[in-house]
Amino acid sequence: MGTLDTVSIGILLAAIVILAGILSSVIAMRFGAPLLVVFLLLGMLAGEAGPLGIQFDDVKTTYIVGSVALALILFDGGLHTKFATFRSVLAPATTLATIGVVITAALTAPATHYLFGLDWVASLLVGAVVASTDAAAVFFLLHARGLRLRPRVAATLEVESGSNDPFAVFMTLLLVQYLMLGDLPVQTVLARLATEIALGSLVGMLGGRAIVIVLNRLGLSQGLHAPFVMTSALVIYGVAASLHGSGFLAVYLAGLAVGNRPTRAHRSIVSFLDAVTWMAQIVMFVLLGLLVSPARIVDSLLPSLGVAAVLMLIARPAAVMLCLTPFGFHWREKLFISWVGLRGAVGIFLASIPLLVGLPRASLFFDIAFVVVLVSLLIQGWTLGVAARWLHIAFSRFDPILRRVELDLPGQLAQELVGYRVGAKSPYIRRGILPSWAKLMLVIRNETVLVATEAGNVREGDHAYFLAPLEKAPALDRFLVDMPPPAAPDPRLLGDFFVAADTPLGALAEIYGVEIADADASTTLAEFFRQRLGRSARKDDLVPLGTIALLASKVSEGALVTVGLRLAEPEPEDLPAPPAGWRAKLKGLVRRAWIELVRQR
Amino acid sequence: MPLADLLLPNAIIPALKVNGKKQALQELAARAAELTGQNDRVIFDILMQREKLGSTGVGNGIAIPHGKLAKLGKLFGLFARLERAIDFEALDGQPVDLVFLLLAPEQAGADHLKALARVARLLRDPDVARKLRDSRDAEAMFAVLTLPPASAA
């Protein structure tokens, strides 16, 4: 019975620690503290130095849990990456993920060498362990702040963080092997690297396809789609790793393949994997926090901070500057990418490998990595938003945080039902605009469900449900949530007055004194647009009529509904001023000074 | 063309009490008839003729009913702020509380169009609309409508 009690108490303690992790997220969010640090600290608190005093030094369990967690996190990362994004930054991101990792590791090594007196290979190992940016940390911190980064910067960071883990893992394993066995010829290294990448990519892509096919062909029962995908991801990891391919690369690519193809139950898969990723992160970070012994860390704290400083301020920026030079990034962007080289669980996880195989001084490696990751998450994680604004990488507008409800429609993959609580200041309410591919289906008003025809005009506070193509659904957000009024629209595209498209030209001629051919008197505006354009009108088409201009101002389902009348040319003061950058300001200043000068004479 | 050329200080109604679009147009036509010496029925019919093509409620609570009147001597403007906003079948569905009526003589041609565009663009400026809504008396409204925009100062 005694052993059973130990098991029960073990389960209780583990569950309490994880529960504390979940609840602490509320506090962390409120203070903007990097959540991952909180999990790590929680693990430390539960460990040998804290009040719970849990003794935990099972490196093997940590390694297994870490591998599974990392595989799932990377799969989820791939699942969320749009293929177009992936392709657009493939070159810069993979350069960073390969050469960048080597440069970072190589430049961090001297710090370790001189501060700890480790030999060069061991120093390089420490460098490799902390060289990769952490996908979970980067994804999470970029999105949690609602930052809207320049697309190319955000994409590079995400794809880099997803694809450099496999390379850092490879480099770490290689160095560990060298430290254990000594001799390792260059050809072997290169051959192994090629195998890892080739097999990892192959297994990942084929596996991803296979998941999609099985998902769409096989009638799995509703609740099993997501677990099927998750388990398959682990199978893909296992297959690739057993064949000596890169398992992490494989799952990332598999995630990419699954996330970019229409599948059944797409929503539930994504939300299930989000939950799994959360769980994986909490468990992994707590476990890593447990594994570390704070007393030992204190001994090596100062030199470890030195390593962290060298990594953050020298190695990473140098690697980014060198790797991104051919790709035409602005220096601000490069500086930002350098600063968002967030380290995370991967670093600590990799540091557990030397412990696992029992390398001499392995615990020191682990301690250094732990401090580096903690410092990086705290300092870089916390200052991410400030850095983005300071370097003008973030757009001034924050992404609205909204609650979009997405419902899969059984039996087909092209469309889904998207629901919103319609904001009072949303463009849809203010100006009645909605993309043509979205169709209003249901309105829930005062707890009553109305179909579109019953509901009439959607009002503020209604919950409106639209039918929309799967891949376009997120674009609906802009129309339905509160947005600040747009900057003044182009006056050239504004009608002074509006008339229905079935108005005959004759009626216009009579009221506005526009000259038209007699034959046109009964031609309607819609017909006139078609005649002049040779096609049906699209929004903002402009057709002159005598001295006035006709504007297609409202087109619904391909038919012109309302025509704007622009009665006179816009006057200069109506036109938007050119953007006044400092160059324009300077030019203006010089010009004014010149005019003054000329006048004086 | 400054608005002062077509809007006289006495052609401002600071708080017009009406219950609907038709009544608003009737009241405005009556007032316009009084000031121009034309027949109010004729003015009303001309305004309605334009509304049939599509509301002159141009959005943001503003309506600019207009038309051509054969016997009119010169361009004539009349501004009214409604005590209570009414449904004007406006494009954006919003109730209307600022109404600018513009009548043009038959031969006004380009001037007529320019004046209409001018009025529409002036009232489209959210600043101007806000100031008109904040004003209590006719003088203040007249000043807002006829003074050059602040940005030009």
Side-chain angles (χ1 to χ4, degrees), chain A residues 140-164:
Chain A
F140 176 74
L141 283 169
L142 286 183
H143 293 158
R145 300 293 170 84
L147 277 178
R148 266 169 53 91
L149 297 179
R150 294 190 191 173
R152 190 159 174 238
V153 173
T156 306
L157 280 167
E158 288 197 4
V159 175
E160 180 211 0
S161 68
S163 54
N164 67 6

